[in-house]
Amino acid sequence: MKRVLSGIQPSGQLTLGNYIGAMQNFVKLQKDHECFFMIVDMHAITVPQEPQALREQSEAVAALFIAAGIDPAKASVFMQSHVRAHAELGWLFTTLSYMGELERMTQFKDKSAGKESVGTGLFVYPTLMAADILIYNADLVPVGDDQRQHLELTRDLAQRFNSRYGDYFTMPETYTPKIGARIMSLDDASKKMSKSNPNPASYIALLDSPDVIRKKISRATTDSGREVKFDPAEKPEVSNLMSIYSHCSGLSIEEIEARYEGQGYGAFKKELAEHVVSVIEPLQARYQEIRSSGELHDILRSGAEKAAAVADQTVLDVKERMGFVLPKQ
């Protein structure tokens, strides 16, 4: 089976965009791939985090992974920080990277813009991400458009290592589903729905109550006119809502257009909200079961053990090739 690696940061609440764009695909991939899905808590601390909030949100993300349908018997679910080899390989890759290529990273430039001082963790974040991927010799990496540049750096570092020390690392490929890879903000369809957006009305959090969901959708920005028509260029706001509708209802875009022909946005938004609630309510019920049962930490321990069995061997292989003296067994 081909190997898949992906992760989500535990900063802010996971959104419907995370569920449609990432987690639903994780569930599909686990059926016929060897999957490693992690909560990237070490990436989260590249910017300051309140310790108790980080701890709670890390557990929440892990529980939502399982509630969304990721099966711990089929996929390894774990905290990045529970597999120490990630940090070690991240440092080794930092020594293989160049200042210029890290300075060119768009996310670094965006997050450091206008700041008097920037943490070095934010600067070397891409080398840790490269380690996350290459430590499992992943074949496929589900990433959004905002992470493609980091994956290219990962491939560059893999090639650099292979050239210096002999072929070892697999060249990872981007996995992008045909539909639903990018759900946009409810208040501005030119921006991705993001858990880091300071405006809570811009996203639907997976733990929002049904009434909050209904209110957010009723107030979601729509284009001028009344026609429910999928046209991302001319009607981006409604097209985004139609994409959400399609994923939550199972109806095609064409069926949605036919259903609301001549009805305007009112009926469309009302029924959209109910479809979203129908998806999120059972997910929330499963989430509460997981959090109250105490099973989460057993799942994370088992996932970390399976991940570490692969990751630790990779680090040993890399260190041997680089000339380190290895401990005698």
Side-chain angles (χ1 to χ4, degrees), residues 142-157:
V143 294
D145 291 339
D146 56 342
Q147 295 290 346
R148 287 180 183 273
Q149 190 183 28
H150 287 166
L151 187 60
E152 285 305 309
L153 176 65
T154 299
R155 289 170 59 86
D156 289 343
L157 291 174

Side-chain angles (χ1 to χ4, degrees), residues 166-224:
D167 286 345
Y168 181 76
F169 286 116
T170 300
M171 290 294 162
E173 299 291 340
T174 303
Y175 171 81
T176 305
K178 294 180 180 179
I179 302 174
R182 197 170 177 87
I183 298 298
M184 312 309 283
S185 171
L186 296 180
D187 63 346
D188 182 356
S190 69
K191 299 177 181 178
K192 184 178 178 181
M193 183 179 285
S194 171
K195 53 187 168 58
S196 61
N197 193 315
N199 176 18
S202 71
Y203 59 81
I204 295 169
L206 292 180
L207 297 179
D208 278 344
S209 70
D211 285 345
V212 168
I213 291 169
R214 293 182 181 104
K215 184 177 294 185
K216 286 183 177 182
I217 291 177
S218 71
R219 296 177 178 177
T221 303
T222 49
D223 307 282
S224 58

Side-chain angles (χ1 to χ4, degrees), residues 29-222:
L29 286 165
Q30 71 183 352
K31 295 177 183 177
D32 48 16
H33 295 78
E34 183 183 8
C35 294
F36 295 87
F37 298 131
M38 60 182 177
I39 296 84
V40 289
D41 48 355
M42 290 196 295
H43 285 301
I45 62 169
T46 55
V47 295
Q49 300 286 340
E50 197 284 313
Q52 185 55 40
L54 176 63
R55 193 172 296 117
E56 165 59 29
Q57 196 56 38
S58 296
E59 292 186 355
V61 173
L64 284 168
F65 273 14
I66 308 305
I70 295 175
D71 184 351
K74 295 179 179 177
S76 298
V77 177
F78 59 99
M79 293 290 170
Q80 180 190 29
S81 62
H82 290 184
V83 181
R84 297 178 181 180
H86 283 261
E88 187 169 4
L89 188 60
W91 169 249
L92 297 177
F93 279 153
T94 299
T95 69
L96 290 175
S97 60
Y98 302 122
M99 294 278 289
E101 58 193 355
L102 296 179
E103 288 171 340
R104 288 193 295 273
M105 293 293 108
T106 302
Q107 282 205 343
F108 171 72
K109 290 191 288 188
D110 290 346
K111 291 183 178 181
S112 61
K115 295 183 179 177
E116 292 184 7
S117 61
V118 180
T120 53
L122 190 63
F123 184 66
V124 299
Y125 165 100
T127 60
L128 179 57
M129 182 174 172
D132 295 335
I133 297 166
L134 296 174
I135 204 165
Y136 301 104
N137 265 312
D139 299 287
L140 299 174
V141 185
V143 294
D145 291 339
D146 56 342
Q147 295 290 346
R148 287 180 183 273
Q149 190 183 28
H150 287 166
L151 187 60
E152 285 305 309
L153 176 65
T154 299
R155 289 170 59 86
D156 289 343
L157 291 174
Q159 182 60 52
R160 194 170 300 157
F161 181 92
N162 290 348
S163 296
R164 291 186 189 179
Y165 303 110
D167 286 345
Y168 181 76
F169 286 116
T170 300
M171 290 294 162
E173 299 291 340
T174 303
Y175 171 81
T176 305
K178 294 180 180 179
I179 302 174
R182 197 170 177 87
I183 298 298
M184 312 309 283
S185 171
L186 296 180
D187 63 346
D188 182 356
S190 69
K191 299 177 181 178
K192 184 178 178 181
M193 183 179 285
S194 171
K195 53 187 168 58
S196 61
N197 193 315
N199 176 18
S202 71
Y203 59 81
I204 295 169
L206 292 180
L207 297 179
D208 278 344
S209 70
D211 285 345
V212 168
I213 291 169
R214 293 182 181 104
K215 184 177 294 185
K216 286 183 177 182
I217 291 177
S218 71
R219 296 177 178 177
T221 303
T222 49

